[in-house]
Amino acid sequence: MAHQTSIDPNLSREEKYKLALEQVKALVEGETDLIANMANIAALIKETFGFHWVGFYRLIGDELVLGPFQGPVACTRIKVPNGVCGTCVDRKAAIIVPNVEEFPGHIACSPYSKSEIVLPYLENGKVLFILDVDSAQLNDFSKLDKMYLDKIMQQSNKF
Ligand code: SME
């Protein structure tokens, strides 16, 4: 079933996250396919906030492999612990990078990405996949983004 996904652009970022979270819950309800749900979640976040790139990488062996995303083409494979994404897997914790040029080892898939947030999804203490969001603005992510993107990621346990 199709869902309405357009969210009023004039709302505050927190109001947008609240609505996006409700839409994620509706999208994943009754759908058990991981790839389908990742695809819709990436599209919803990209459409709602207009970020430069939003997507998932699945951890397969010691590599992150590109999953569903929205935005320009991106690196297909990232070895852990390379880049912000690999560091996130290594630390098993979310990472906010205010300025990607100041993150040692940052992997530049696009010259337009200026700041980035990466969050892991863990099951039984193991990282299964990560969500990566890149912004064309410097310092675009805060604890607010981490809190709501974490809540969105937690919906994955309903798949
Ligand atoms: N910047 C990431 C690589 C993934 S792309 O941004 C989509 C990193 O340093 O791991």
Side-chain angles (χ1 to χ4, degrees), residues 53 57 74-75 78 82-86 105-109 113 116 132 134:
W53 195 91
Y57 282 89
C75 322
I78 298 170
N82 295 346
V84 184
C85 295
H106 167 258
I107 299 164
C109 292
S113 290
E116 180 166 357
D132 181 12
D134 291 9

Side-chain angles (χ1 to χ4, degrees), residues 3-27 44-45 48-49 148 151-152 155:
H3 295 263
Q4 174 71 25
T5 56
S6 64
I7 287 176
D8 182 352
N10 298 314
L11 294 176
S12 71
R13 191 173 282 200
E14 182 158 27
E15 288 169 327
K16 287 180 182 174
Y17 270 122
K18 285 182 178 164
L19 291 173
L21 182 59
E22 290 315 305
Q23 292 196 7
V24 168
K25 288 178 182 170
L27 283 166
L44 177 64
I45 296 171
T48 302
F49 299 98
Y148 280 99
K151 287 181 194 285
I152 288 174
Q155 290 305 307

Side-chain angles (χ1 to χ4, degrees), residues 39-135:
N40 265 335
I41 291 170
L44 177 64
I45 296 171
K46 179 84 163 71
E47 287 292 303
T48 302
F49 299 98
F51 293 130
H52 180 63
W53 195 91
V54 182
F56 292 89
Y57 282 89
R58 292 173 301 143
L59 184 62
I60 300 176
D62 65 346
E63 280 187 330
L64 287 163
V65 181
L66 185 62
F69 72 95
Q70 294 277 318
V73 294
C75 322
T76 310
R77 288 174 185 265
I78 298 170
K79 266 208 190 309
V80 177
N82 295 346
V84 184
C85 295
T87 306
C88 167
V89 173
D90 201 40
R91 293 186 193 168
K92 297 185 178 178
I95 301 179
I96 294 175
V97 182
N99 179 353
V100 295
E101 285 181 15
E102 291 174 0
F103 188 96
H106 167 258
I107 299 164
C109 292
S110 160
Y112 297 107
S113 290
K114 301 289 182 219
S115 59
E116 180 166 357
I117 182 169
V118 184
L119 304 99
Y121 178 76
L122 286 92
E123 229 171 62
N124 303 322
K126 285 189 178 167
V127 176
L128 296 191
F129 55 85
I130 58 116
L131 171 66
D132 181 12
V133 183
D134 291 9
S135 171

